[in-house]
Amino acid sequence: MIKNESVMSVHSSHFRKNSIRLLLVTTGVASFLCVGFVAWRISDNRAQQQELLADIDLLSTQGSPVNADGVKKLHESSTNRELTDEWNSLFDELTTIEFLEATESFPYLGNSHLKDDRVPPRGQPWEAEAGAIKFLTETKSLRDRLRKLAMKSRGVYLPMNYEGEGQGYSSSYSGYKQAIHLTRFESYVALRFNNPAAVLEDIRCFTGLSNLLDGTPSINSFLLASAASQNSLGVVQEAVELSIFNEEQLQQLLEHFSVPVSPRHFQLALKGERGMLLSALESLASNQSFTLFGGSAKSRLRLLKLLDRLELAKFEDGDAFMRLIEESLHEIEQFGFTENSVDAMALGGATPVVAAGTVYVRNEMKRKLALIAIGVQLYRHKHGNLPSNLEELAKVNLDPVSLAPIGGKPFGYRLNAQRDTATVWGFYIPSRIKQTPPEPPEPVGENSDWVWRFR
């Protein structure tokens, strides 16, 4: 019995020694792997940081801003200050308490719950009509100044925040929005009173307001300028559908919208947003403690590569550009949003810039659709009837093929059996629809601007 216990004791002793050896070996291997991983991670971070710095140096060499100071210089060199004081003075007047109180009962201008209301078309009752006429009479001098300034403005310098809270915003934008609302209100009142000359002036004023922000390197300015353009096309649509323009005025509209939407403002905004983001991310990264899984330059490299692809895109090819936008947004989604504040800000900052590319494509599609619709109305004026198909617009010097939207299929057109009413349609983007649908969509919500009806 004693012998067996001794044998068991020896075996137990060997087992403990072997276990200790195994534990030491395992711990050593784990330590080696851990040290190796840390070394690799540090090396990888260092390589990414070097690549990031090289990319930023290249951008700087090419003349693109890489920080807030560079964006400020780009803004100042791309704009002029000749009319800055006049515009800021006008914007101040449009945002006074007195002006806001005077407009609170009117569509587009007043309280937020009224902004979706419309000026009723002629023939329909409007309780606020007498007040609207009084308001427009009292503000004639102000509106005249607005139109005259808009007609001679392009790329005017308006102060903007380049970093910190409100990055990419301007204190002038509240007044700018009010200028859009006032012009919109005036134009729909002119439609109600069947004043096509005044409507044409407002359409030109919208274009001037859009041109005003040329040269401002931010997505906010690009979207505001686009809003001015889209409001213009909304007025054109209603006016053309109401048949208030004569042949000469329709010809003027064709000439007015004959120039393709330039990608310059979007490209400039992209440069500005990249510079402001890089500046903010650098500041954030320098204040963030380094961890093995955070603090690297990877997210900023991803941001630069995404924006580089957008900047080098072929803007004239709407289909290719939309594919690039969709691929870029999908790529951002695949990256995901991490708890690392640098990563989250980099990818979050890229999203609105990429998505704004869709607005550029949409602006150009709407311009083309407006030309087709104006052409249909002009054809009716010249020939006494609506065209049988869009190919007949060649008689008013329009080519529906060259004016086709993305997807390559021309806009839709349908003449009714009596040949006295017609419909022209396109489709909203971004959506699941990739080309002009065979049937006109219901003209509600997002599709309301994409269906024009002639009666």
Side-chain angles (χ1 to χ4, degrees):
M1 184 68 176
I2 294 173
K3 183 178 180 181
N4 288 339
E5 288 177 356
S6 297
V7 171
M8 291 178 63
S9 178
V10 170
H11 281 234
S12 178
S13 176
H14 280 298
F15 177 78
R16 283 197 299 274
K17 290 178 181 178
N18 289 336
S19 296
I20 290 171
R21 289 193 191 99
L22 180 61
L23 179 61
L24 289 172
V25 170
T26 303
T27 302
V29 171
S31 297
F32 175 79
L33 291 175
C34 184
V35 171
F37 172 76
V38 172
W40 170 82
R41 185 63 177 164
I42 292 173
S43 175
D44 185 49
N45 285 340
R46 186 177 295 117
Q48 290 175 3
Q49 185 68 26
Q50 290 173 346
E51 184 180 353
L52 174 65
L53 292 175
D55 284 357
I56 290 175
D57 285 343
L58 179 60
L59 285 171
S60 183
T61 301
Q62 294 170 341
S64 291
V66 295
N67 52 38
D69 186 56
V71 178
K72 182 176 184 292
K73 291 177 180 176
L74 174 64
H75 187 191
E76 291 174 343
S77 66
S78 301
T79 55
N80 67 80
R81 295 174 181 264
E82 183 180 350
L83 299 173
T84 298
D85 291 342
E86 288 188 62
W87 274 111
N88 281 329
S89 175
L90 181 66
F91 291 154
D92 287 344
E93 290 184 52
L94 291 174
T95 52
T96 61
I97 294 175
E98 293 77 14
F99 182 84
L100 296 176
E101 288 178 347
T103 62
E104 63 183 0
S105 62
F106 301 136
Y108 321 125
L109 280 165
N111 297 322
S112 58
H113 70 280
L114 290 172
K115 287 182 180 176
D116 289 333
D117 287 354
R118 293 172 61 95
V119 173
R122 60 179 180 270
Q124 292 187 12
W126 186 25
E127 292 182 6
E129 182 175 292
I133 294 172
K134 181 175 182 292
F135 167 76
L136 290 174
T137 301
E138 292 174 347
T139 58
K140 183 178 185 305
S141 175
L142 177 68
R143 292 182 293 107
D144 286 345
R145 280 170 54 208
L146 170 58
R147 280 195 299 271
K148 288 177 182 177
L149 269 177
M151 291 304 98
K152 60 181 180 179
S153 294
R154 180 177 286 275
V156 175
Y157 175 84
L158 299 176
M160 184 177 78
N161 297 326
Y162 305 104
E163 55 189 336
E165 188 175 353
Q167 175 181 298
Y169 285 88
S170 169
S171 58
S172 303
Y173 288 169
S174 294
Y176 182 90
K177 291 176 184 177
Q178 281 292 79
I180 292 177
H181 297 326
L182 178 59
T183 305
R184 185 182 186 195
F185 176 69
E186 180 184 347
S187 61
Y188 280 99
V189 173
L191 282 170
R192 176 176 175 85
F193 288 100
N194 196 28
N195 187 344
V199 174
L200 277 174
E201 284 189 3
D202 289 327
I203 290 168
R204 295 188 182 102
C205 185
F206 277 126
T207 301
L209 283 169
S210 181
N211 292 338
L212 167 64
L213 295 181
D214 277 3
T216 306
S218 75
I219 288 300
N220 292 312
S221 70
F222 169 73
L223 294 177
L224 280 173
S226 296
S229 298
Q230 296 314 303
N231 272 279
S232 172
L233 289 173
V235 173
V236 171
Q237 179 174 357
E238 184 142 344
V240 169
E241 288 181 337
L242 289 172
S243 301
I244 73 166
F245 293 126
N246 61 33
E247 184 176 326
E248 180 183 353
Q249 290 165 335
L250 288 168
Q251 192 65 54
Q252 290 176 25
L253 279 176
L254 281 184
E255 293 171 3
H256 185 78
F257 291 106
S258 64
V259 180
V261 175
S262 170
R264 179 180 178 274
H265 195 171
F266 176 73
Q267 291 171 308
L268 197 70
L270 188 153
K271 290 178 185 291
E273 292 293 335
R274 180 171 56 200
M276 289 186 286
L277 276 169
L278 284 173
S279 190
L281 290 167
E282 178 61 30
S283 176
L284 186 62
S286 64
N287 294 325
Q288 180 172 300
S289 58
F290 175 80
T291 69
L292 290 178
F293 299 98
S296 75
K298 182 180 291 186
S299 56
R300 282 175 283 172
L301 281 170
R302 286 171 168 171
L303 170 68
L304 290 183
K305 294 187 187 308
L306 280 170
L307 299 187
D308 282 348
R309 289 205 299 269
L310 277 185
E311 187 176 12
L312 298 173
K314 294 181 178 179
F315 289 88
E316 66 277 6
D317 187 341
D319 290 279
F321 190 48
M322 280 302 297
R323 284 195 298 272
L324 176 59
I325 292 169
E326 291 169 357
E327 289 167 2
S328 298
L329 290 173
H330 178 70
E331 190 172 336
I332 293 172
E333 185 180 346
Q334 292 299 107
F335 291 160
F337 291 89
T338 70
E339 293 182 2
N340 182 319
S341 55
V342 177
D343 290 342
M345 186 172 179
L347 299 176
T351 303
V353 180
V354 175
T358 303
V359 177
Y360 163 75
V361 179
R362 190 160 63 227
N363 289 347
E364 177 62 358
M365 279 179 56
K366 280 193 170 185
R367 180 192 72 88
K368 290 179 177 180
L369 178 60
L371 283 176
I372 292 291
I374 295 166
V376 169
Q377 194 68 285
L378 180 59
Y379 182 98
R380 177 156 63 177
H381 271 275
K382 285 181 173 294
H383 299 279
N385 57 274
L386 289 162
S388 300
N389 51 59
L390 293 184
E391 286 73 21
E392 287 195 291
L393 294 185
K395 296 177 182 177
V396 292
N397 299 315
L398 286 178
D399 175 20
V401 175
S402 65
L403 293 174
I406 63 170
K409 185 178 176 183
F411 289 110
Y413 178 76
R414 178 171 296 163
L415 186 64
N416 74 338
Q418 291 72 37
R419 303 179 67 82
D420 57 356
T421 67
T423 303
V424 174
W425 70 89
F427 60 100
Y428 176 83
I429 60 167
S431 70
R432 289 174 294 179
I433 301 173
K434 301 303 178 185
Q435 64 176 17
T436 304
E439 297 290 329
E442 283 296 314
V444 295
E446 294 172 339
N447 288 316
S448 61
D449 300 335
W450 297 92
V451 181
W452 296 51
R453 293 180 171 173
F454 303 89
R455 299 174 176 84

